[in-house]
Amino acid sequence: MKKLKTVFNQLKSLNGGEPSDMINLLWQLICYSPKMPVRLQQQQLLDEAKPFTLEVDDPHFAKSALKFNGFVWGDGQRKILITHGWGSKAADFAELIAALKNIDDTQIIAFDAPGNGSSEGELSNLLLFAKAAGAVIKTFGAPDVIIGHSLGGMANAIAIKETGIKPALLISIAPLMNLKENFIASLNAADVAASAQDKFFTDFESLFNMDASGFTLNNLYPAGSVTRHWLAYDPEDKIAPFPFLKSFLAAHPEVETSVYEGLGHEKIIKDENLIADLVRLIA
């Protein structure tokens, strides 16, 4: 978190100026994922898991293979895959994982995406999240249930498409809907000039061979590949604004929704009511 604050403050201090290293700072602002230490309760849960390490290729930033770490609880027949959000890690689902462990005949799999938590990588992006989820699916087999929070919801959509699986239940918790709008919000908060923002998005398109506006859940959604999709949200979520979600739900009326007010974007995954609802859904 300290590094991200430093980058943010550097950009703020420029007062809209555009020094020669501006674009490098912008990439760090958008693609550096802050890392928070593991708490004691979280570490105790990780100690109970069977750890694993897999690799994915990062052709954009590291330009090499990156190792990422994962964790498995249980050896049941029903597989549950959890994909965390931006600036998060598997251990941040400690309360949910502890509850899911009480469901009979389950195997719970979670991982730290490249550039997040305990895994390798300086900068990260949505595609690395999706590649990691895909690598887990190919290694452990198709999950019956896939859970994703925030950016993890988008990553799961891509992984489902890429692997061709058809999960019985997809659970999205406060999923991001429009990645470019999130980028713009971060850039505006740092007082980045419009011309520098335009340059960043031009470079983004060149690097990823895709306009940032294409990274929306509407575009990425694996329609027809999910038997049941259940989505939880807080209508006052500032990170995943409701107007974007409303547009998505209008296009996909089959998605079931549940509202959890007053929790915001991060605390929602720890909410006792949400966790109880998820256990009922899965059990």
Side-chain angles (χ1 to χ4, degrees), residues 76-81 105-107 141-147 165-171 226-228 282:
Q77 295 299 307
R78 296 183 65 205
K79 291 181 172 61
I80 303 171
L81 173 62
D105 196 30
T106 56
Q107 181 183 63
D144 300 279
V145 180
I146 302 183
I147 301 171
I165 63 170
K166 294 190 175 183
L169 176 61
L170 175 64
I171 295 173
V226 178
T227 304
R228 183 183 183 189
I282 295 169

Side-chain angles (χ1 to χ4, degrees), residues 95-150:
E95 292 86 354
L96 174 59
I97 292 169
L100 293 177
K101 285 171 59 186
N102 295 321
I103 302 176
D104 291 337
D105 196 30
T106 56
Q107 181 183 63
I108 304 160
I109 308 168
F111 62 92
D112 293 349
N116 292 257
S118 63
S119 295
E120 291 183 347
E122 178 67 15
L123 300 181
S124 191
N125 59 72
L126 170 62
L127 299 183
L128 286 175
F129 273 64
K131 284 183 176 183
V136 171
I137 291 168
K138 291 173 183 177
T139 301
F140 292 93
D144 300 279
V145 180
I146 302 183
I147 301 171
H149 171 239
S150 189

Side-chain angles (χ1 to χ4, degrees), residues 230-264:
W230 186 90
L231 190 153
Y233 70 97
D234 177 353
E236 299 302 320
D237 189 336
K238 304 302 182 185
I239 305 299
F242 181 69
F244 297 129
L245 172 60
K246 186 176 180 180
S247 175
F248 170 77
L249 294 177
H252 299 282
E254 75 280 3
V255 176
E256 303 170 41
T257 61
S258 189
V259 177
Y260 298 85
E261 295 183 345
L263 296 174

